[in-house]
Amino acid sequence: HSADGYDVIEFITKNDSPMYNLQINTALNAGNSRYGTQLPISAVLNAGIVGRYRIHAHELGHAWLGFDDLYDTGTSEKYLGGWDLMDGAGGISELSSWLRWLPGWIEDTQVRCITEPGETRHFVSPLNFSSVQPKMVVVKLSNVSALVVELRVPTKFDFNKESVVVYVVDTRYLSGNGPI
């Protein structure tokens, strides 16, 4: 079979597999990917996790979108305190505004950028509501870091309570080392 037209291929084993959550990303010959990226296709093997949709979503976040682990892979410390799906495969939350903005799920017009010191006021609509209103405020801290502010409300996929979430994105840190 050809992998042309696909960006990710996921292989899933049954739940009683002796291997649990073994995730392997392998580059396949891409040909033309669905989105025309010309990038290799990711193959993901998720062993023993049938029905665990959060783990599937987390691993596909790596394979399809290139998202980083937002937890310490040695200690399992959640750098975002559970506020992002990439903060741990068993998380209780959806994706943060930053990770939604990277693939274009939040439009640039929905981001309020602050680059100069001073006082400003901004309205942000809940991150998980469908609207064209602003979804996030980004405050430039340096050429490699920014402070991000977003509003979260509970949904069937986001079990956290209503909160304003504030975090720092720092591109000097790699996956598993606290990039957010």
Side-chain angles (χ1 to χ4, degrees):
H1 296 277
S2 172
D4 278 357
Y6 296 94
D7 291 305
V8 176
I9 299 172
E10 182 178 23
F11 303 95
I12 304 169
T13 68
K14 60 186 178 177
N15 278 339
D16 62 354
S17 170
M19 299 171 9
Y20 173 73
N21 194 25
L22 170 64
Q23 185 247 345
I24 302 170
N25 286 329
T26 305
L28 303 174
N29 185 359
N32 290 309
S33 68
R34 179 173 176 205
Y35 296 100
T37 62
Q38 303 299 317
L39 296 175
I41 295 170
S42 291
V44 180
L45 168 63
N46 284 315
I49 64 166
V50 172
R52 296 182 181 120
Y53 71 93
R54 290 187 183 283
I55 295 173
H56 291 285
H58 174 95
E59 299 305 340
L60 286 171
H62 292 307
W64 181 38
L65 299 165
F67 290 159
D68 292 329
D69 276 324
L70 302 181
Y71 63 93
D72 185 309
T73 54
T75 67
S76 296
E77 174 190 357
K78 295 174 182 273
Y79 294 126
L80 236 58
W83 286 103
D84 193 287
L85 180 68
M86 301 310 290
D87 205 19
I92 58 171
S93 187
E94 297 182 22
L95 292 170
S96 63
S97 61
W98 186 262
L99 292 186
R100 291 177 193 211
W101 173 69
L102 290 176
W105 298 337
I106 291 180
E107 300 288 330
D108 290 348
T109 57
Q110 295 176 291
V111 180
R112 297 295 176 252
C113 295
I114 302 170
T115 59
E116 300 295 327
E119 183 177 316
T120 61
R121 291 178 187 241
H122 300 274
F123 168 84
V124 290
S125 64
L127 179 61
N128 41 16
F129 281 18
S130 177
S131 77
V132 296
Q133 299 296 322
K135 298 284 187 185
M136 61 193 286
V137 176
V138 178
V139 181
K140 180 181 178 180
L141 299 175
S142 73
N143 287 337
V144 295
S145 64
L147 181 83
V148 179
V149 180
E150 63 189 50
L151 173 63
R152 302 295 279 276
V153 297
T155 68
K156 66 181 181 178
F157 297 110
D158 199 341
F159 304 133
N160 289 304
K161 62 183 179 180
E162 183 170 329
S163 300
V164 173
V165 180
V166 181
Y167 52 92
V168 173
V169 176
D170 192 326
T171 60
R172 293 177 295 181
Y173 298 102
L174 300 176
S175 181
N177 291 307
I180 296 180

